[in-house]
Amino acid sequence: GIRDKLVTGVQACALPICICRCCHNGLVAFLSLSCIISASPNHPQSAFLATKGETFMEPQPMRVVLYSRVSTNKQTTENQVLELKQVCQRNDWTIIRELTDNGISGSKGRADRPGFDELHKMVARKEADMVVVWSIDRLGRSITDLVSFMFEMEAKGINFYSHQQAIDSRTPAGKLSFAIFSAIAEFERSIIKERVCAGLARARANGRKLGRPSNVNANTAVAAKLLREDRKSTRLNSSH
């Protein structure tokens, strides 16, 4: 009957089932509500078709933005972009934007990288579902900046895919990679802090005066001293 066909359709999806109880002509049907969320576009049963009522739910294509970068003008991003396009084609991802930084070092921040700056803006505006790069070091060489950008994507609900490292933030392994990068960034910050404190302690021990250098020269210091003495003598005279 209708129930058997519905159960068969749910089993064919081979997906996690969120059960919802609903009555139809005295029968209890168990519908898979997770098809539209969890179904892969490549799965032959990615669209769930209910026997009664022709209920059809089709998952939306993944909107992705490609980012590529090379450090010198003698290099090219064409190889990166070609591979990423092939990945998107295999996964049925829709490319909505291609951003590139040519001849710019990954150690530079977003202010010096127009493509990376635009990528930040697209993430802030949540204009894509996933950021796709050829390798994770194409985003940047600084672990701290890299993790900061990843946390920004995570806060906006935007996924991340790195082709060379096979990192997909939608998978448990991808989430583990995020946690590892976060721990490395925290370790890097701690090391830098320890080095700074050690340098300041050594400078104090050598008798160096810390802080911002004064821009007051000898003539200004003498003039200031004379002005203070003049004000002091003026107050003494007025008191008598």
Side-chain angles (χ1 to χ4, degrees), residues 137-163:
D137 63 350
R138 298 301 88 194
L139 283 176
R141 297 287 185 180
S142 171
I143 291 293
T144 303
D145 293 341
L146 183 61
V147 171
S148 176
F149 178 65
M150 287 184 170
F151 281 161
E152 184 179 351
M153 286 192 293
E154 186 178 21
K156 292 293 183 178
I158 296 177
N159 298 303
F160 173 75
Y161 177 82
S162 177
H163 180 57

Side-chain angles (χ1 to χ4, degrees), residues 94-122:
T94 302
I95 301 174
I96 62 172
R97 192 82 181 272
E98 296 179 24
L99 300 175
T100 301
D101 282 320
N102 286 307
I104 304 177
S105 172
S107 61
K108 296 184 180 296
R110 59 181 291 189
D112 300 316
R113 295 159 61 187
F116 191 50
D117 181 62
E118 181 62 24
L119 182 61
H120 269 273
K121 293 177 181 178
M122 291 188 68

Side-chain angles (χ1 to χ4, degrees), residues 200 203-204 208-215:
L200 293 175
R204 291 191 188 97
R208 292 188 59 182
K209 184 178 180 181
L210 303 178
R212 182 179 298 177
S214 175
N215 58 0

